[in-house]
Amino acid sequence: MPESAQTSVIGKPQPRIDGPLKVSGTAQYASDFHFPGMLYAVPVEATIANGKIQKLDTAAAEKMPGVRAVLHRANIGKISRSVMGKGFDGICIERRPPFEDDVVRYYGQYVALAVADTFEAAKGAADAVRVTYNKNKPNVEADLKADDDPDVVPTSYGPEKRLQSERGDPDAAFASAPVKLDQTYVTPAEHHNPIELQGATAMWDGDKLTIYEESQGIFNMRGVLAQMFGLPKENVRVITKFVGSGFGSKLWPWTHCALAVAAARQVGKPVKLVLSRKMMFQSVGHRARTQQRVRLGATAEGKLVSLQHDYVYHRSMLDNYHENCGEATAFQYSVPNLRVKFGRAQRNIGTPSDMRGPGAVPGLYATESAMNELADQLKIDPVKLRILNEPKIDESLGIPFSSRHLVECFELGLEKFDWSKRTPEVGSMKRDGLILGWGMAGCAWIAARFPAEASVHLRDDGTTRVACGTQDIGTGTYTILAQLAAEKTGVPLNRVEVALGDTSLPEGPVSGGSMVTGSIIPAVFAAADNAIASLLTVATSTPGSPFEKNKPADLAFEGGRVFVKANGSAGGVPFADLLRRANLRFVTGSGKSEASFGDPNPKFSTHSFGCHFAEVTWQPAIARLRVNRVVSVIDAGRIINPLAGRNQIEGAVVMGIGMALLEHTSYDQQSGAPINSNLADYIVAVNADVPKLEVHFVDFPDKEINELGARGIGEIGLAGIAAAITDAVHHATGVRVRELPVKIEHLLTSSVLA
Ligand code: MOS
């Protein structure tokens, strides 16, 4: 890598290269594609959550103008199940293909599909389908008690996920601990709410299938569809050029994809199916509700002696998605005696799935809240308590951390937030007639590499093209790819073409786990090195080339120019000149990153770390609570693009404010429906709820992840923030809220008066 500091584009704030396309409305999202003869499909949603279809009457719907087909179990044709292949191939969280049986297991499950010339005609026909059910009372009970064998290991998508963990004798250590804490924390079901609705446009050409879908993992989707429709993988092409955010809801294919494909097969035309906002709350995943009991035992000085984390989460009737609340529990603190254990409770709900920071986000809300309560009990500063229990190694695996700088994060956070001014007594801090509450929490999030492949072209017009079949879900992957290619080829950013989001490209990683950046760096760099090696061969083998007399090993490439090493970089020749002289449009190279995710015997424990400090204001007279200030400090290795990195953390903190104070999905006990299934009733944090956010990165490259030391960034920002806010709420009001979100009614018991 050229270390010429003045030309490097790594670590510099770079505006999105795709920004102009987005703000000018020319970026094409999946449902923006139109095709001649395209038809529209609208699903019929079950209006019960538990029962059987008794009768499905499509006669009236079929007669409506413009209606081409009404599909249901008897006429949809074969859709097979997908199975998980090796790596990210065939993962489908809701495994039952649509219409496989006549059982309804959750509200909104698709029971039929209307296909028509226009969206309006399809919607009219869907509404005209008459369905009668044998109906049972749904179980959507909020209180969770484990109802299956907790020793059953869920089918998770990677061995990297720590499921249960135990060391020492946590029961005995807890029993004899001088200081004890035993509390239960509850997080509600939450729904991802990307503004871009999910949907698919599918079309067949003989036995070849093309689908436009806003996927966070196009290659996995290709594998799933190939299995469902009995096709060789190479006959399936998935295209996702832009994604209007996903937050995990678009990681894995949902049943509507199969419906669009089956409908297109039936009618022999392209079919577009876009979900309604209401459907987004029913059938494309959500964050599972959790109940987490945390028991901490400590010495009077605050040294942890025992940590137990027992959690239960809800799951759907058929599926096995694991909400891994213990993700960070086993390694975050030094503690000799520990147990992490889970149970599950089946409910008549749509299948839960990954939602931004899955597992760790609800998990750290519980464990970090418990640490704050313990600090309170011990009358120790919560930051000091954490530093006192900082581990030297990952005690759960007995291996070193590749790079852990949480203490440095705390130190910077203390300074930036001015934490030393905090007076610990509840209600003791005031400003402008408002009570102030200050709280904090730490966080962690997994880091690893997924397998990745990339190609780099050097072209005779002086441009370069980098291709990787990953996705940009709004996080800045287009720009990161351009930065990596520019760095290696010396081509300015505005002359780099980036191709992603298409399964015809080299296989890229899923946009999940905040792992794309860390995964693609070795692949792009190797691809560029191979393209440069080809160029040097061209340079020495082209008659009339200035390097005709040299061997490739004599040459060097830097800043887009080839030169003889012995002569230094002066007099280098631009690569475009060499290609034109050889009458070559381009040379190309391919590269690969090996996976580290799922390594059963890792040498290092790799994670990102960080902390949040939050200030709330409390106005007791009118029970008004606001988040007033947040300082976040993140250790995510080297930051490739500080502008996009900061944006990721800010976005996550906004979601964290929503998690702490606003977001929750309620299920109707009678119908089983998620009742606040729209953006008016499902409340997310908006600009008026968001104060000044301050984001800092500590800069410690993690060379175990890749040569640049970048671990990737995103989800870490949502971990811990809700615990910091609820701690601040306690500091201001004296009320410990242990069930999210914090509601005004929780705070009416506050003893703090103005
Ligand atoms: Mo993230 S939940 O891995 O999209």
Side-chain angles (χ1 to χ4, degrees):
M1 182 185 81
E3 290 288 359
S4 46
Q6 67 272 50
T7 56
S8 177
V9 291
I10 302 296
K12 308 265 168 59
Q14 303 292 350
R16 309 284 172 102
I17 60 164
D18 50 328
L21 290 176
K22 287 187 174 174
V23 297
S24 62
T26 41
Q28 279 194 293
Y29 292 79
S31 57
D32 292 334
F33 290 88
H34 293 276
F35 299 94
M38 189 175 77
L39 304 179
Y40 296 80
V42 172
V44 179
E45 306 148 70
T47 53
I48 66 164
N50 184 16
K52 265 192 168 184
I53 300 169
Q54 196 177 39
K55 191 162 175 260
L56 203 128
D57 180 359
T58 59
E62 278 163 9
K63 284 194 211 91
M64 293 172 75
V67 174
R68 301 294 188 103
V70 180
L71 301 178
H72 46 86
R73 192 158 76 90
N75 66 0
I76 188 148
K78 190 161 175 55
I79 308 176
S80 304
R81 287 194 170 217
S82 71
V83 293
M84 257 160 81
K86 205 173 163 307
F88 292 86
D89 187 22
I91 302 173
C92 191
I93 301 275
E94 182 169 347
R95 237 155 236 298
R96 172 191 174 275
F99 307 171
E100 192 182 52
D101 55 27
D102 58 3
V103 181
V104 176
R105 296 175 178 86
Y106 63 90
Y107 185 97
Q109 181 183 315
Y110 305 132
V111 295
L113 183 76
V115 186
D117 293 337
T118 63
F119 170 77
E120 290 74 11
K123 177 79 175 88
D127 290 347
V129 173
R130 293 283 156 256
V131 192
T132 46
Y133 301 96
N134 284 324
K135 187 173 150 187
N136 301 318
K137 188 171 164 34
N139 180 357
V140 291
E141 175 59 38
D143 190 33
L144 303 179
K145 285 189 193 54
D147 59 15
D148 72 349
D149 180 358
D151 292 330
V152 173
V153 175
T155 48
S156 204
Y157 52 85
E160 192 81 4
K161 285 198 160 190
R162 294 164 210 239
L163 300 175
Q164 324 232 33
S165 187
E166 183 156 347
R167 57 182 182 257
D169 186 344
D171 299 303
F174 182 72
S176 63
V179 182
K180 295 183 178 57
L181 178 119
D182 182 353
Q183 292 293 355
T184 296
Y185 303 89
V186 177
T187 64
E190 291 179 338
H191 275 80
H192 330 71
N193 273 290
I195 290 304
E196 183 200 21
L197 299 165
Q198 297 211 37
T201 302
M203 69 205 75
W204 290 80
D205 177 7
D207 60 355
K208 290 198 169 58
L209 168 67
T210 302
I211 183 164
Y212 291 78
E213 161 93 40
E214 63 313 290
S215 170
Q216 292 178 240
I218 53 175
F219 280 90
N220 179 68
M221 177 169 285
R222 180 183 73 166
V224 168
L225 292 174
Q227 293 184 34
M228 286 184 135
F229 292 91
L231 300 167
K233 270 193 255 184
E234 57 273 22
N235 283 21
V236 181
R237 185 173 174 202
V238 182
I239 299 169
T240 300
K241 287 299 170 191
F242 293 93
V243 182
S245 286
F247 308 122
S249 69
K250 298 168 181 173
L251 265 174
W252 320 118
W254 294 99
T255 48
H256 67 266
C257 307
L259 284 182
V261 173
R265 177 175 66 182
Q266 194 97 343
V267 296
K269 305 247 186 221
V271 169
K272 179 184 289 197
L273 190 169
V274 180
L275 302 194
S276 65
R277 182 59 65 183
K278 179 167 167 275
M279 291 173 195
M280 295 284 286
F281 283 82
Q282 297 166 172
S283 47
V284 288
H286 65 277
R287 196 196 292 283
R289 182 177 174 85
T290 74
Q291 265 170 232
Q292 306 175 58
R293 182 180 182 193
V294 182
R295 276 170 287 181
L296 300 178
T299 65
E301 294 73 40
K303 185 72 199 72
L304 288 175
V305 294
S306 178
L307 194 172
Q308 294 174 78
H309 188 184
D310 295 279
Y311 61 94
V312 186
Y313 56 85
H314 76 194
R315 64 169 177 137
S316 61
M317 300 314 283
L318 281 182
D319 297 294
N320 228 352
Y321 174 75
H322 177 60
E323 183 67 25
N324 197 33
C325 297
E327 209 263 323
T329 310
F331 63 80
Q332 189 71 341
Y333 296 109
S334 175
V335 55
N337 305 291
L338 170 140
R339 183 184 298 121
V340 178
K341 215 165 168 5
F342 69 88
R344 306 179 293 181
Q346 277 190 312
R347 294 290 179 265
N348 290 107
I349 50 165
T351 299
S353 67
D354 300 271
M355 177 164 158
R356 209 173 192 190
V361 164
L364 281 160
Y365 159 67
T367 54
E368 289 297 292
S369 293
M371 286 297 278
N372 286 334
E373 293 202 54
L374 182 68
D376 223 30
Q377 214 171 310
L378 289 161
K379 303 211 179 317
I380 296 181
D381 181 87
V383 181
K384 284 212 184 85
L385 177 68
R386 287 169 170 86
I387 293 176
L388 189 64
N389 290 288
E390 172 71 10
K392 293 203 168 54
I393 61 164
D394 178 330
E395 294 178 1
S396 74
L397 299 178
I399 54 174
F401 292 105
S402 57
S403 174
R404 172 171 166 133
H405 296 277
L406 180 56
V407 172
E408 288 89 338
C409 291
F410 288 141
E411 284 163 354
L412 188 60
L414 291 175
E415 178 200 320
K416 297 288 179 187
F417 194 80
D418 221 358
W419 183 259
S420 64
K421 295 217 169 64
R422 181 179 189 258
T423 53
E425 294 72 34
V426 162
S428 63
M429 295 178 71
K430 292 181 188 174
R431 188 197 300 142
D432 304 331
L434 301 171
I435 314 287
L436 295 185
W438 284 12
M440 61 80 54
C443 57
W445 179 246
I446 189 175
R449 282 188 321 270
F450 291 138
E453 292 172 24
S455 70
V456 168
H457 285 57
L458 292 168
R459 295 190 289 217
D460 68 345
D461 57 359
T463 64
T464 182
R465 174 185 193 262
V466 55
C468 178
T470 187
Q471 309 69 217
D472 188 333
I473 59 171
T475 49
T477 305
Y478 273 109
T479 310
I480 297 279
L481 278 166
Q483 283 177 277
L484 297 177
E487 181 72 5
K488 291 291 279 190
T489 62
V491 172
L493 273 178
N494 62 4
R495 307 209 72 204
V496 181
E497 181 196 337
V498 179
L500 55 68
D502 189 328
T503 52
S504 64
L505 300 172
E507 186 159 345
V510 296
S511 298
S514 308
M515 291 192 207
V516 168
T517 297
S519 303
I520 61 180
I521 288 168
V524 174
F525 278 14
D529 284 339
N530 288 332
I532 291 163
S534 296
L535 176 76
L536 300 187
T537 304
V538 168
T540 52
S541 60
T542 306
S545 159
F547 304 109
E548 203 186 346
K549 304 241 151 35
N550 299 102
K551 296 198 167 43
D554 304 333
L555 303 181
F557 177 95
E558 200 179 296
R561 289 168 174 262
V562 175
F563 52 91
V564 179
K565 276 184 207 159
N567 302 348
S569 59
V573 181
F575 68 80
D577 291 2
L578 296 168
L579 291 170
R580 283 198 299 266
R581 198 183 296 263
N583 192 27
L584 289 173
R585 175 70 179 104
F586 56 77
V587 283
T588 180
S590 305
K592 227 176 156 150
S593 301
E594 300 301 331
S596 66
F597 183 81
D599 181 351
N601 295 303
K603 283 196 202 59
F604 294 95
S605 176
T606 52
H607 306 269
S608 287
F609 298 95
C611 57
H612 302 282
F613 291 79
E615 174 180 284
V616 300
T617 58
W618 168 237
Q619 207 172 344
I622 57 167
R624 185 171 199 260
L625 183 86
R626 313 288 293 172
V627 177
N628 199 47
R629 185 161 68 100
V630 177
V631 173
S632 305
V633 186
I634 305 294
D635 165 24
R638 190 161 180 207
I639 304 300
I640 303 296
N641 184 352
L643 198 58
R646 196 183 74 210
N647 171 256
Q648 281 299 293
I649 299 303
E650 285 175 345
V653 169
V654 172
M655 262 179 116
I657 294 171
M659 178 182 178
L661 303 182
L662 303 165
E663 291 190 45
H664 70 288
T665 305
S666 302
Y667 291 87
D668 180 73
Q669 296 296 319
Q670 296 308 315
S671 67
I675 40 181
N676 53 339
S677 57
N678 59 74
L679 290 181
D681 296 317
Y682 184 95
I683 306 170
V684 297
V686 297
N687 281 339
D689 301 301
V690 178
K692 180 168 155 15
L693 304 176
E694 213 180 296
V695 178
H696 303 278
F697 296 110
V698 292
D699 185 23
F700 294 98
D702 184 344
K703 293 290 169 111
E704 289 306 318
I705 289 280
N706 50 54
E707 45 269 71
L708 293 182
R711 282 199 295 254
I713 198 161
E715 282 152 293
I716 178 82
L718 180 51
I721 176 73
I725 292 172
T726 50
D727 190 36
V729 168
H730 170 258
H731 185 226
T733 66
V735 182
R736 281 276 176 209
V737 180
R738 300 188 185 90
E739 177 165 359
L740 295 183
V742 175
K743 294 180 182 151
I744 288 175
E745 48 268 43
H746 291 131
L747 304 181
L748 295 179
T749 57
S750 172
S751 56
V752 177
L753 301 174

